[in-house]
Every structure is written in C-alpha cells, then in structure tokens.
Amino acid sequence: MNSQRTPLDSADSVEANPSFIPLSDPDITLAELSAVETLLCSPQISNGRTTEAFEHAFVAYLGRKYAVAVSSDPIGLLLALKALGIESGQEVIASPYSFRETVHAISLAGVRVVFSDIDYWSATLVPAKAEKRITANTRTIVASNSNGHRAPWSELRAIAQRDHLPLLEDSTEAIGSSYKGELVGRFGDLAVFDFAQPLAISCGEGAMVVTDDIDIAVSLRRYCAHRLDERSSVVVSATAPYQARMSDLTAALGLAQLKRLNESLERRRLVEQLYNAHMQSFEGIKPPYVGPHVTEVNWMLYLVHLGMRFTRSGRDAIVDDLRAAKIESAAYSHPLHLQRHYFDLGHRRGDFPVAEKIADRALALPFHTHLTNDKVEFIAETTKEASINVGACAAIY
C-alpha cells in the first residue's frame, strides 16, 4: 500500500500535458502523504521531535554516530566549516564541477575557494592535483561524489592525513551509492547530504550533516539552532545560532522516504538499465562512467557525455531540440570558476581545462521512477536524432 501511486503524482499531471517528460519527478506515495498528514493533525508541528527521529533513522541507515538536520545543503556545508573552526581568509580546496550551492557556502563563510581540476571519466577531484593546491593556509578539502559517482576516497584520505587536514565529503548527489562496499557519507570527517529535487530522497528542501566526532556534532547543533529546553543555558547561548534547523514537515517527508529508500533506488536502477540498453549503439554519446572499486552508483540524473566533435553550443542546441519534443533536459554544471562571482575573483577559461571540457558536453536526461521503457526509448531516439541534426562541429563557441 505504501508504494501505491495517487492522483497527485506529477507524472500523471505535469503541466496538464501527459506527453511532457520532466527531468525529475519525486517518488511520492501514500506513505509520504500519510506522514505529513499525521504531523499536521498533531498538536505540535514544530517542536523538533520528528526532525530528531529523522536524524536517528539517518545515522542508523548510514552507520555513523551523529546527524544534524538543517534547512538546506549550503547551510549544512556552511555549518560544517564553522564546526571545523575554519575562519575568514583561510582556504578550502573544492571542485569547479558541481552545483554552485556547494562552493557558494564556502564563500558565504568568508573562506577562499581554491579550485582543483577533475578526472575526465569520473568528474571527481584528482588527488594528485588537489595535493598540489595545498598551502600553509589550506584548512580542508571538500570532495564531491559527482552525480552519485564516488570520489577517490582512499587517496584523498591519505593526503588529508599527511597534511593534517579534515576531509569534508559532499554527498549531496549520491545517497545510496557505495565504494569498496561502504556507503558514501562514511568517508569524510563530515559529510553533507541534500534532500532537494531531483535526489532520491526529495523533501523540497533540507539537508543532513553527519559525523562521528562528538565535539563537531555539538558545535554543529549550537550553530544550527537552540532548542526550547536550552533557553536557560549560559553555555549554549554563548553561540549565536543561524536558526537553520530542518522543519518537522520536511523531516516527516524525509523520514517516510528514507524508509522506502531501497525500493526507490531499485526502481531508479531499473530505469538506468533501460537507458543503458538504448544508449549502447549511440556513436559519439557516452553513457555514465562507472569506475573501479565502485560497488553501487545511484545516479542523481542520467548524465551522458557528447563526443569531442560536439561543442558547448551544439549541446545547447540538443537541449532545445529535446524541449521542442516535450522532453526536459539540461546542461549539467556550468563550470563554477567561470560563473560571475568566481570570474570576478580572477578565474578565466582555460584555468581548469578538464572541468570545462566535460561541462561543455555533459547532457542531463530525465531520470526518475516514473519513466517507462517506451518513454526511455523515445528520449534516447530523440536525443540521437537531435545529435545528428546538430552535426559535427556545426556550432562554435
């Protein structure tokens, strides 16, 4: 019964157009609706009990000791930097190939972002390149599990230990993925998960910061919010909080989806298999890469990479052709160092050539549990036709 779909499911009513195929479509069932309704019908909807239950369930799922639920991914990373004692003017190494919210949080903390280039296949930080960016002012490395694919955690951990740096794991895109038999989220001194669309757990907004260090966990909570029962505490009130706690309504939705996570991930993997079957014969279009020692990858989006004969504007033309066919797609991750805030800090095209090469040709296709074989086949064939229409080197930068 918990998996039964309802008339509210967006795949049945997107833009009042049943032929429109959205990029993402949350897997909402009666279980989620019931959880939210139960909370709304209770005498207290903002006392934090449901949020605490979500935190307890999340650490049990992940196998870590402490979790702090926060209002968003950028806030989670910001609080993580604060909890690590990283101060304004210090440096954090990060990838230029990710969603901008990750590095925006670093800037909001007053910390200098030091970008390091990525691996062409996995789109994650290259340990040797990151190591060369370390200076006396470096305070941590933020490594992302890009689109669900694990970063090289063994090598990054060795570098962090050698330079006495904490390792911060950005798992915002990767819940359920595993590396060498361990779930992502277990490799960093802290790890951050996001619960906004299009993730497998989609609560509208919200995030979770996890750690095994009790001192870091206590600091996270003090920066996050003060509970009502802490109003008289002199020690707690010495820290000005951001009032960034996750709402109980968000937590109720997240808790219900966490209980169904394995089911949702399995359905997403079936869609992935459909895509793989239809994408194999495409000349010049590569399906998502899976590296060695990867036990399981749970993609955030189905991300294909166009061959070198395509240009950035050619990729954008394919997006336009798909839109005309009522298929939503997207260019994935415009390089962060070329976005206005970081461009103004002195970065230019050519600074990180691998990130630029990948970002210019990455194409995100619809990926969610409501896709059928017919829809995936239609998306694949339309993508192929669009790529042929664009032609080799038909557009220039």
Side-chain angles (χ1 to χ4, degrees):
M1 169 132 179
N2 286 348
S3 299
Q4 181 179 341
R5 296 194 58 200
T6 74
L8 297 177
D9 284 340
S10 55
D12 294 334
S13 56
V14 171
E15 297 184 1
N17 181 358
S19 64
F20 178 81
I21 304 177
L23 188 65
S24 66
D25 188 7
D27 188 11
I28 302 298
T29 69
L30 291 177
E32 287 80 8
L33 297 178
S34 177
V36 172
E37 181 183 20
T38 298
L39 179 65
L40 289 174
C41 293
S42 70
Q44 291 182 314
I45 63 171
S46 61
N47 63 6
R49 291 179 182 174
T50 306
T51 301
E52 289 180 4
F54 188 22
E55 291 171 342
H56 293 323
F58 201 82
V59 294
Y61 160 74
L62 201 59
R64 300 210 70 163
K65 293 181 179 179
Y66 310 102
V68 178
V70 295
S71 56
S72 70
D73 164 44
I75 286 293
L77 183 54
L78 173 62
L79 297 186
L81 295 173
K82 298 286 288 184
L84 289 173
I86 299 174
E87 300 176 350
S88 177
Q90 295 177 331
E91 296 176 354
V92 170
I93 295 173
S95 168
Y97 183 78
S98 69
F99 282 109
R100 59 183 177 268
E101 286 77 6
T102 299
V103 292
H104 281 358
I106 300 173
S107 290
L108 288 171
V111 180
R112 180 171 176 260
V113 181
V114 177
F115 290 119
S116 181
D117 215 346
I118 59 175
D119 177 71
Y120 180 77
W121 297 104
S122 66
T124 59
L125 281 179
V126 176
K129 292 181 180 179
E131 187 171 25
K132 290 180 180 179
R133 306 289 284 169
I134 295 174
T135 70
N137 206 29
T138 303
R139 291 297 177 268
T140 188
I141 299 171
V142 178
S144 301
N145 295 307
S146 181
N147 192 41
H149 193 284
R150 60 83 182 154
W153 291 111
S154 299
E155 296 91 336
L156 289 169
R157 172 57 67 189
I159 292 171
Q161 290 177 339
R162 197 158 51 238
D163 288 273
H164 307 289
L165 298 173
L167 188 58
L168 213 163
E169 182 178 355
D170 172 22
S171 279
T172 55
E173 305 175 12
I175 190 165
S177 294
S178 56
Y179 170 55
K180 294 184 177 180
E182 285 204 64
L183 288 171
V184 297
R186 294 175 53 86
F187 300 105
D189 296 283
L190 298 95
V192 182
F193 288 85
D194 188 34
F195 303 131
Q197 198 169 336
L199 284 309
I201 294 182
S202 295
C203 308
E205 291 294 342
M208 193 78 74
V209 187
V210 297
T211 183
D212 292 333
D213 189 314
I214 189 171
D215 293 328
I216 291 177
V218 169
S219 183
L220 282 169
R221 292 198 181 281
R222 289 179 179 176
Y223 281 116
C224 181
H226 294 164
R227 299 194 306 266
L228 291 177
D229 60 3
E230 294 175 329
R231 284 177 295 180
S232 61
S233 171
V234 176
V235 176
V236 172
S237 61
T239 302
Y242 286 83
Q243 291 304 114
R245 191 170 179 80
M246 178 184 288
S247 75
D248 271 2
L249 285 171
T250 299
L253 190 55
L255 186 58
Q257 291 202 326
L258 180 61
K259 293 176 181 177
R260 298 182 46 251
L261 179 60
N262 288 337
E263 172 193 332
S264 295
L265 291 177
E266 180 60 31
R267 292 170 69 180
R268 290 168 73 96
R269 284 191 288 269
L270 290 174
V271 174
E272 176 195 354
Q273 291 171 15
L274 293 175
Y275 263 120
N276 290 342
H278 291 295
M279 286 289 180
Q280 290 303 320
S281 61
F282 276 29
E283 181 182 355
I285 299 180
K286 300 190 299 291
Y289 167 79
V290 179
H293 306 299
V294 174
T295 314
E296 185 69 63
V297 179
N298 288 291
W299 307 113
M300 178 181 68
L301 293 167
Y302 193 83
L303 196 63
V304 298
H305 294 269
L306 305 177
M308 290 300 296
R309 71 178 189 226
F310 292 93
T311 62
R312 180 180 60 191
S313 52
R315 186 271 317 277
D316 294 343
I318 294 174
V319 172
D320 291 339
D321 284 353
L322 290 173
R323 183 184 302 115
K326 299 179 182 178
I327 300 169
E328 184 180 11
S329 61
Y332 182 87
S333 182
H334 182 61
L336 296 173
H337 64 288
L338 299 181
Q339 295 188 29
R340 179 61 184 270
H341 177 69
Y342 305 99
F343 191 86
D344 288 348
L345 295 178
H347 292 294
R348 294 295 181 268
R349 175 167 283 277
D351 286 353
F352 306 101
V354 178
E356 293 166 18
K357 185 183 295 185
I358 295 174
D360 286 351
R361 296 165 180 83
L363 175 65
L365 298 175
F367 189 61
H368 49 81
T369 61
H370 302 142
L371 290 173
T372 62
N373 181 59
D374 288 345
K375 288 183 178 179
V376 172
E377 183 178 15
F378 175 65
I379 294 167
E381 290 301 320
T382 306
T383 303
K384 182 177 181 179
E385 291 175 6
S387 68
I388 294 172
N389 290 340
V390 168
C393 302
I396 59 173
Y397 289 116

